[in-house]
Each structure stands twice: as structure tokens, then as C-alpha cells.
Amino acid sequence: MALRALVRHYRSRHPHPTAELVHRPHPWARALGLVTVVLIGAWLGLLIVGNVRTPVGPMNTTMTLRPSLTGGTKINVSPLGALELRSHNAPVRLDVNVDQLDPARAQALVDHPERISGLQDEIASDVQHGTLDLAVRSVVAVVSGATALGLAVYRRPGRALAAGGLALALLTASGGAAAATWNPNSVLEPKFSGLLSSAPSLVGNARSIVTEFDVYQQELARLVTNVTKLYDATSTLPAYQPDPTTIRVLHVSDIHLNPASWKIIASLVEQYEINVIVDSGDTMDHGSAAENGFLDPIADLGAPYVWVRGNHDSRETQRYLEGIDNAHVLDEGRAVTVGGLRFAGMGDPQFTPDRSAEKESLPSEEVAGQSLADALRAQKAAGTPVDIAIAHNPDAARETDGQVPLVLAGHLHHSEMEVLDKGTRLRIEGSTGGSGLRALEGQYPDPIETSVLYLDRDTHRLQAWDEIKLGGLGLTTAEVSRHLPKENQPGAAPEDDRSPSPTGNTPTGRPPSGSPNGSPSTSTDVSPRAP
């Protein structure tokens, strides 16, 4: 009994060591794990619910906070690109996505132009409300995300609340750092990317923006209503009723990535019952793969689309277009029969957005035109003469003189009609995209130009053409002019015609019906109130 008492006393003074089933981590490792959970949870919270959709003027935008090592603000303007502002130095970045133009609000500005004078204050108020909503939502998203992930990882309410509190503290510190380093002058030195990289040369330098801010304010306010005004103008275009025996070709060119052009083209295809659309190039601006999606609406324009490469269209652009339904890509003199007419075309040998090549070393337009002329001669010798040849640059198109009745071109951003020395008629189209971003380079914006060509179904000869001109950025005019070739004007003798005929037939001299009194030119201004 005494021995047992002695053993119990010894064990009480010297207990046996017990093995721990769970290794207790080092305090620094525990802190690092908690911070990792907080950061991941906060990021997930922002990703899932941390964005705000808010209207800014007539635009719908999405504002989001994102973790970042450099901070700043990024404004995405799809599909043109983005601009970055060094607005603050903090571990969070503000992303603003310009989603779309709201038709109702934009139309309200068109109907009530007096509202434009207050547009700047309205936009400032919208941005303020959107930023406040974003701040509240971001706090909720960060705290909720960190707390939820902390509960899932630690399964302890105390640890989860600690994660949420730490997330709130980090967000508050980031907001304080952003406020302390806020630089409102960053808007004067933006960094452009994507297609907007050409914007500085178009908008002007920072000094002119500061000294002439009122002018820029008024012009930018007008620009946001441009698309709606163009749609409004095209919806009221008069629709001529051409002779049903004519083939109607819509000639477009130099769209330069203007999305409004597709709406205009689709409207004209329907109103004029177009048989074939011919695009003489420069549909793109830089020819990059990122721009390819811009071409997708071609499949739904309602008429076959015949296209040649311009000097702003790359080989990548051409390959993408070859895979689009309804598109017929012509190059190296290739010929195709579409809509009852035979076309042949040559892509532009130059690709000017490639700054690595010196301009002097670029291929010759004249040589490309001579190759196209050789292909036209071969087609004629084979008994399949071409009705219309297509080249982007007029220098190349002129080399086909005497080999085809009609050749179409673009490139110059203004329209011309010329009969060459050997009788071939050269039609140069203006810019159907209003020169794209280049519309801002001059004192006045470039108009949007296209034309409808009427060709006799039997002889395939040009009978008349309508020149369609829409006001450029901020303008609401639309003018349609009817023109007749000299040989089709009243009283003209057959010998007036000098153009080569692929079939050997003489022209009928019959203009399409709807030509006002057979006059060589007439115009309609559907919106005389040019601002």
C-alpha cells in the first residue's frame, strides 16, 4: 500500500509526456495563412458581386474595383481599345467598361439638343453616384468574401470574423492610399492601347485640351449622339424604285472600323433592293486579329459581299473574311460571278500599318494594277470577260484602262467618276465609315459616302448611279444624287459611248425608272437642319 502511494506521488510530480496529434503552426505561418485567405476571399467577393452597372450620360457602363500592384484607372472602350490613367497609387485599380449607347437616352438628346449644354454636369453627377455605389458594394463584397472563405477554411466563427475585419482594414487602408495619392491631372496624360493608340494625334495635345476645354466639351457632347443621328438619317432616306431589269450594286469603301456603317449598309440593301455589295477595301484600321470580329455582321447584310484588300487590311484580315458566309474575297486577279455580274479584283500590295517597312520599299500599286489587267485579258481570251474590276488604290485601278467597262476603287476618302483614255470608267468611292477616327483630323468631319450603281441586266453596262452622302460626326444631313452617264442622257448618240464592252453589245440608253425627269443629277436633303 505504501509502495502504491509512493508511485502515485512520483507520477503526480513527473507526469509522462503526451504526443500532440496536431502540430501547432508557427505564429508567422498562421498570420500568413490568414492574410492569404483574406486576399483570396476579398478578390472572389469583388469578382462575383463587386461591380456596379450605372448610366453615365447616354452610355451604360460597368464599374469594378480590382486588385492591382500599380493602381490607376482603366477605361475600356470596346472594340476600339482602352486608355489608362495614373490616377492613384494603391493596391486597387478602378475598371470602367463602356458597354453600350442607350438608345432612349441618346434619342432624348437628339430630340432635345438644349440638354447637351448640361451634359457635363449630368455626367459628373452620374460618375459620383456610381463611384459611391461602387464603394459601398465593394466593402460588402470584400468583407463577405473574406468572411465566407475564412469560415470555410478554419470552421471557426472567430477566425472568420477576424478575416472579415482584416479585409475591411485592408480595403480602408487602400482607399486611404488612393485618396492620398489621387492625381486629377492624370486625365491630361492618358496611356492609349489598342485602336485608340492613334487618339492622341486626333484629339490634340494636353496643352490645347486645357486651354480650349470648353470647345472640347461641346464637341465631345455632340459626338456621343452621333450614332443615333446617323441611324435617324438613314431611316428617312428616300427609296427609289429602279427598273426591275437592272442589277443594283452598292459600292462601299474605307469603312475604317466604323460600326455605324453596317447599319447604314443594311438599310440601303433593303431600301434599294441591292443585288451585290462591293467593298473596295480598308474595312479595317490596323489589320490586327483583334479587329476580326468587326467583320461578322457581313454575313447578315442581306446581299453577297465582294471584297478586295486595302492598305489597312492585313492578310490575317483577308483569311478571316474568306471564312465568312456571303463573302467573296478577290485577289491576284481572281474572277467570280455574283448576282449576274462577273467581278475580278486585286488586293492592295501595300500594308501601311506595318511600321517596320519603309514606304519606299513597299510594292508598287502600278505593278499590281498591271497584274490585274493581265488577268482581265486572260479572262476575255477565255470567253469569260469581266464586267467590273476592283482595286483599292486608284493608281492600280487606272492600269486596267481598256480591259474592262467599269473599275471600282477607294482610298482617297472622297468620291469621283472618271472616264479613262481608253474608255474604261473609273468610280472612286468616298469613305463609307466617315474616315473612322480620322474624321476628327480636319476642321469638319468627313461625310459618310456610298453609291448605288444600276447596270443593265442584258448588257451589264452602267445605266445610272445614285451618290448617297450622310453628314459626318454630329451632323444629321443625308443627300441622294441621281447621275446618268453621258451616253444615257436625253438626246445622246450611241457614238458618245467610249467604254469597252465585254459582250460587244451597245448600251440600251435606258436609265432606271425613278430618275427624276431623266435629269443627269438630282438630290434630296432629308434633314436640312445641319447643326
Side-chain angles (χ1 to χ4, degrees), residues 148-214:
L149 187 61
L151 186 61
V153 172
Y154 297 113
R155 300 183 182 277
R156 296 181 183 178
R159 285 288 182 87
L161 292 176
L166 180 58
L168 179 60
L170 291 176
L171 183 61
T172 303
S174 299
T181 59
W182 181 252
N183 178 23
N185 293 328
S186 62
V187 71
L188 301 179
E189 299 178 355
K191 178 182 178 181
F192 296 90
S193 62
L195 301 179
L196 289 178
S197 58
S198 59
S201 62
L202 302 179
V203 176
N205 58 37
R207 182 180 299 276
S208 65
I209 293 177
V210 173
T211 57
E212 301 179 24
F213 182 78
D214 290 339

Side-chain angles (χ1 to χ4, degrees), residues 265-288:
I265 292 172
S267 174
L268 296 175
V269 167
E270 179 180 0
Q271 294 184 50
Y272 284 81
E273 299 179 0
I274 296 298
N275 300 105
V276 184
I277 305 168
V278 174
D279 185 343
S280 49
D282 272 7
T283 314
M284 300 304 213
D285 215 19
H286 289 72
S288 64

